[in-house]
Amino acid sequence: MPIYNAPVKDIKFVLNDLLGLDKMTNMPGFEDATPDMVDAILEEGSKLMRDVIQPLNQVGDTEGCKWNDGEVTTPTGFKEAYQAYCEGGWGGIDVPEEFGGQGLPHLLGVSLAEMMSSANMAFGMYPGLTHGASAAILKHGTQEQKETYLPKMTSGEWTGTMNLTEPHCGTDLGLMRTKAEPQEDGSYKVSGTKIFISAGEHDMSDNIIHLVLAKIPGGPEGIKGVSLFIVPKFVLDENGNPGARNGVSCGSIEHKMGIHGNSTCVMNYDEATGYLLGDPHKGMRAMFTMMNAARLGVGIQGLSQAEVAYQNAVEYTKDRIQGRSITGVKAPEKAADPIIVHPDIRRNLLMCRAFSEGARALGLWAALQVDMVEKGQTQEERDAADEALGLLTPVIKAYFTDKGFELAAVAQQCFGGHGYIHEWGMEQFVRDARITQIYEGANGIQALDLVGRKIPSNLGRSLRRFFHPVDAFIQENMMNPEMKDYIMPLAKAFAKLQQATAMIGEKGMKNPDEAGAASTEYLHMFGLVALGYMWAQMAKIAKEKLANGAEDKEFFETKLITAQFFFERMIPDVSSLLVKMSAGSKTMMALDAEAF
């Protein structure tokens, strides 16, 4: 039976020691995030995930959701677990108090999202999508729309979805056919079909608030003619309660590789009553609020599956005896040594650990930028955070999920044949992780977004929001002998990333295929350097803590060893990625399509 224990100690280390949350209580919105409050939230959240939500992970995978005549039934125990989640107020941690939330930092919301996704990724998608839909309404809705929908979505009584994809269009949303006909009362009649709609229909909430992209007839062609609409499952009555069933139905659910506990729906809209969210023909602007939040959330999902797979691999490799250590017997009282004595097993485990801890630091740093965009004390602070966040969003989404899938499989490898058997849970982590590389914009699209949009945006200013602090940290610590094992590898990797950036800029302007051919390797280079920047900072903190006689000596010593592994064994991959990038696009584009 799989296990999961939230890494509360490491989350608190990142929040307090790396990011300084405990010193931000004078910033708007952070007043209540005192150390005691944060500790209580993380500890109680950990118990909810361990005792209530994680035990349903395999149940959801085995049973899946059931569709019957347009209605979807969730797996055994999901409704009760969701009720416990709602009663605890967990859906409103970082929602403004005005709409029923607790108004705490997004840092805490993301920390809890990681826990939930590790415990039960399919379950976590229901409140996760609601949170994203709420964010779009909060930013782009009218005051009346906010007051109508947000309190119920915050409490969890109503859930939310995002409806983008159609059978003939995914990334190229300008091709969509869903229409929204304006009505005399200011509403719209929405008609069309959407596919791959996560949590589009289920039995856990009283209403489902769909955010639907559609075109208003007569608007501009392509993506410039797309608008966003609020389309509730049940149209609200005069008292704001669910009334008549709207013209929206679930045509079927997908039978898929993973996340079986979440309903992936075909949604049919037949003159469904909808309400414009934001400005006409500006739907992508509004939807990107939700999509960017979702992409960060999906990156955290990738991290979460690497983390939970790692935890289970550690337990197994400490218990499983097989063979003897190549340097001599380690457990003479047993018939064989635990397999954790073998170097290759430790390599696998340390790759998982070094990624998960570095990714957690970067993911929470990104969450801090979300808070700074909303609550920064000056416009300059808010703009800087927004630009840094925009730059790193495709990196976090794609790099975290590529590595999350890869490392879930690495952890599975530690089990040998048992890792392929359902009861151990490892093959589910691998299957669930796989979708994260695909949805919310396939990772190849994220790489193109990084090289084609984010690097040149604001005349390169967005890129400098990341490069400048990395360079400043390297320069500040270059002469510190205590830091040479971390700073020198980081400096070399950062120099290669700068070289790759210049190469993409130069070659891509002459031939866009050159940038496209290098995009995935470049994104992975960026991810490695970003994790290296986090690891170097964490190593410095750990050394300072140990020098000052930290009580938890073992924690900080382990942190340093893991950092050392990252810089010795993982960041050197930057060199091979640069070689691949340098090969260019000629061979890649040489064959005619018929030759494949």
Side-chain angles (χ1 to χ4, degrees):
M1 184 71 180
I3 56 96
Y4 172 66
N5 292 294
V8 172
K9 182 183 289 187
D10 198 60
I11 291 172
K12 287 160 64 173
F13 166 75
V14 174
L15 292 178
N16 295 324
D17 295 307
L18 179 64
L19 301 179
L21 175 61
D22 56 343
K23 300 178 182 65
M24 296 180 186
T25 51
N26 62 340
M27 194 165 84
F30 284 66
E31 302 93 337
D32 294 328
T34 62
D36 288 345
M37 171 68 82
V38 171
D39 287 356
I41 289 172
L42 295 177
E43 293 293 345
E44 289 304 310
S46 173
K47 292 176 185 177
L48 176 73
M49 307 311 166
R50 182 192 64 211
D51 300 337
V52 178
I53 295 174
Q54 189 275 335
L56 298 175
N57 196 34
Q58 281 196 311
V59 174
D61 186 59
T62 302
E63 291 187 13
C65 293
K66 302 293 192 297
W67 180 91
N68 181 36
D69 194 24
E71 303 293 328
V72 172
T73 304
T74 51
T76 302
F78 270 46
K79 286 179 69 173
E80 293 78 9
Y82 183 71
Q83 188 63 34
Y85 172 87
C86 294
E87 289 175 356
W90 294 104
I93 289 290
D94 53 1
V95 176
E97 294 179 86
E98 177 186 359
F99 303 112
Q102 299 176 46
L104 291 166
H106 291 293
L107 276 171
L108 283 175
V110 171
S111 298
L112 290 165
E114 182 203 331
M115 292 184 191
M116 181 173 289
S117 189
S118 283
N120 191 329
M121 181 171 147
F123 180 93
M125 291 171 65
Y126 293 98
L129 284 157
T130 304
H131 190 277
S134 296
I137 294 173
L138 180 64
K139 185 168 183 179
H140 300 283
T142 64
Q143 188 62 28
E144 181 182 2
Q145 288 173 333
K146 294 175 189 177
E147 292 173 356
T148 298
Y149 297 104
L150 292 181
K152 296 288 189 181
M153 295 172 77
T154 299
S155 69
E157 294 170 76
W158 301 349
T159 55
T161 71
M162 56 191 299
N163 286 236
L164 291 76
T165 306
E166 299 184 10
H168 61 284
C169 73
T171 300
D172 191 355
L173 292 170
L175 298 175
M176 74 174 54
R177 296 171 184 155
T178 301
K179 301 295 185 185
E181 296 280 356
Q183 305 298 300
E184 290 184 2
D185 64 358
S187 67
Y188 291 77
K189 293 298 183 183
V190 178
S191 299
T193 296
K194 299 289 185 177
I195 64 170
F196 303 155
I197 308 307
S198 299
E201 174 61 29
H202 58 82
D203 58 356
M204 298 199 302
S205 64
D206 297 335
N207 206 354
I208 302 175
I209 311 304
H210 302 289
L211 298 193
V212 184
L213 285 177
K215 289 185 174 181
I216 301 171
E221 292 295 318
I223 200 68
K224 293 181 180 179
V226 172
S227 302
L228 184 62
F229 300 88
I230 298 173
V231 185
K233 175 180 176 180
F234 294 100
V235 179
L236 305 186
D237 62 22
E238 64 275 8
N239 297 315
N241 298 316
R245 180 67 185 254
N246 207 351
V248 52
S249 62
C250 176
S252 63
I253 58 174
E254 304 294 348
H255 301 278
K256 51 194 189 292
M257 179 177 176
I259 53 169
H260 295 156
N262 193 271
S263 53
T264 303
C265 304
V266 174
M267 301 301 298
N268 297 316
Y269 293 87
D270 185 10
E271 295 192 343
T273 299
Y275 310 95
L276 185 67
L277 179 60
D279 298 325
H281 316 308
K282 302 295 183 183
M284 289 309 297
R285 178 190 302 167
M287 184 57 88
F288 264 115
T289 297
M290 188 171 183
M291 289 173 66
N292 284 334
R295 285 169 176 171
L296 291 172
V298 171
I300 297 300
Q301 287 180 336
L303 156 62
S304 76
Q305 297 311 287
E307 171 66 32
V308 69
Y310 163 75
Q311 288 191 19
N312 282 271
V314 169
E315 289 294 308
Y316 182 82
T317 58
K318 287 180 178 179
D319 183 67
R320 172 71 165 171
I321 60 171
Q322 197 81 177
R324 291 295 188 185
S325 167
I326 56 178
T327 57
V329 174
K330 297 297 187 292
E333 74 283 3
K334 298 180 180 179
D337 289 331
I339 62 173
I340 199 168
V341 304
H342 301 305
D344 195 60
I345 293 292
R346 287 172 171 252
R347 179 185 65 87
N348 289 342
L349 294 177
L350 278 166
M351 282 196 298
C352 295
R353 181 173 189 138
F355 166 74
S356 293
E357 293 184 11
R360 180 173 300 116
L362 183 61
L364 289 176
W365 181 86
L368 177 60
Q369 306 315 302
V370 176
D371 284 313
M372 294 299 295
V373 169
E374 295 178 1
K375 301 162 185 171
Q377 296 182 333
T378 67
Q379 189 62 46
E380 183 180 357
E381 285 181 342
R382 294 191 290 272
D383 289 345
D386 191 45
E387 289 168 0
L389 185 63
L391 174 71
L392 284 171
T393 293
V395 177
I396 288 172
K397 194 282 179 185
Y399 182 69
F400 282 21
T401 59
D402 279 348
K403 297 303 290 186
F405 173 71
E406 174 190 330
L407 293 170
V410 165
Q412 180 190 30
Q413 185 74 13
C414 294
F415 284 69
H418 292 289
Y420 205 66
I421 305 302
H422 178 75
E423 68 182 273
W424 290 94
M426 300 304 289
E427 53 86 35
Q428 182 188 347
F429 301 141
V430 175
R431 287 186 288 106
D432 285 355
R434 186 64 183 91
I435 186 58
T436 64
Q437 299 169 284
I438 299 170
Y439 63 10
E440 303 307 336
N443 286 357
I445 298 297
Q446 303 301 321
L448 289 175
D449 179 45
L450 178 64
V451 302
R453 293 179 181 169
K454 299 302 172 60
I455 290 176
S457 66
N458 301 311
L459 300 176
R461 192 172 65 234
S462 295
L463 190 65
R464 294 193 292 274
R465 298 295 189 190
F466 176 74
F467 277 17
H468 283 183
V470 175
D471 185 61
F473 182 81
I474 291 171
Q475 298 306 320
E476 177 186 336
N477 294 279
M478 182 66 76
M479 304 309 295
N480 182 351
E482 289 288 308
M483 289 293 294
K484 65 179 178 63
D485 290 341
Y486 317 105
I487 292 298
M488 292 309 296
L490 176 61
K492 291 177 182 178
F494 182 50
K496 288 182 171 64
L497 179 62
Q498 292 173 302
Q499 181 182 347
T501 304
M503 182 191 306
I504 282 184
E506 180 182 350
K507 291 185 176 180
M509 288 185 67
K510 297 176 182 176
N511 179 3
D513 278 344
E514 291 290 323
S519 59
T520 292
E521 283 87 2
Y522 180 80
L523 184 145
H524 277 240
M525 287 181 71
F526 211 120
L528 275 166
V529 172
L531 259 63
Y533 176 45
M534 295 296 133
W535 266 118
Q537 292 177 81
M538 291 191 289
K540 183 177 182 180
I541 293 166
K543 281 188 170 292
E544 290 171 350
K545 293 282 187 180
L546 289 169
N548 293 328
E551 291 183 10
D552 199 348
K553 182 180 178 183
E554 183 179 353
F555 175 85
F556 293 110
E557 289 177 342
T558 301
K559 187 68 72 175
L560 286 174
I561 291 170
T562 310
Q564 192 78 34
F565 178 88
F566 176 84
F567 284 109
E568 289 177 355
R569 292 278 185 155
M570 295 176 74
I571 208 168
D573 288 349
V574 164
S575 297
S576 62
L577 290 167
L578 181 60
V579 171
K580 293 178 184 180
M581 284 181 57
S582 301
S585 66
K586 184 176 180 180
T587 305
M588 200 176 291
M589 305 306 295
L591 293 178
D592 292 333
E594 292 74 17
F596 281 90

